[in-house]
Amino acid sequence: MSCNSSVTDKEIYFKSVFEIICKQDGRFDSVGTGFKTKNGVYTNAHIVSYTQLDEKKVYEQISAVVYGTDTIIEMEIVKIDHVKD
């Protein structure tokens, strides 16, 4: 079976991989990658959180950049699992 499509594998890849950028106090503190699913963007807990005085905290500003583009999306944490990180 063959399929004709105007969407290339490269375009699908770029639309599903994100660069995650985290800021605290106006400065970049963490950068990583994330992957899009139908439920949201997934990344590791250590990308979006940090430890301060033995307490886990979440960065105040988290953005996702669609890989290979200039599209920036502000993100909101829905769930963090530090055990499975």
Side-chain angles (χ1 to χ4, degrees), residues 20-22 29-33 42-51 56-59 62 77 79-85:
I20 308 295
I21 301 168
C22 302
D29 282 336
S30 180
V31 177
T33 57
Y42 288 81
T43 190
N44 290 338
H46 69 268
I47 301 296
V48 296
S49 64
Y50 61 98
T51 303
K56 296 282 187 187
K57 297 190 176 207
V58 175
Y59 286 104
I62 302 169
I77 298 293
K79 180 181 176 184
I80 292 181
D81 188 339
H82 291 285
V83 175
K84 292 184 179 179
D85 184 33

Side-chain angles (χ1 to χ4, degrees), residues 1-82:
M1 175 175 166
S2 67
C3 178
N4 292 328
S5 174
S6 61
V7 178
T8 66
D9 288 341
K10 184 177 178 181
E11 289 172 317
I12 292 169
Y13 173 76
F14 280 163
K15 290 180 181 179
S16 61
V17 177
F18 292 81
E19 179 181 13
I20 308 295
I21 301 168
C22 302
K23 293 182 182 179
Q24 189 70 27
D25 299 326
R27 66 178 194 273
F28 290 106
D29 282 336
S30 180
V31 177
T33 57
F35 301 92
K36 181 180 176 187
T37 70
K38 65 180 180 177
N39 297 322
V41 175
Y42 288 81
T43 190
N44 290 338
H46 69 268
I47 301 296
V48 296
S49 64
Y50 61 98
T51 303
Q52 184 178 46
L53 301 175
D54 293 328
E55 183 181 339
K56 296 282 187 187
K57 297 190 176 207
V58 175
Y59 286 104
E60 62 187 30
Q61 183 182 359
I62 302 169
S63 305
V65 180
V66 179
Y67 191 74
T69 73
D70 292 330
T71 304
I72 299 173
I73 303 164
E74 296 301 316
M75 304 297 287
E76 169 184 319
I77 298 293
V78 176
K79 180 181 176 184
I80 292 181
D81 188 339
H82 291 285

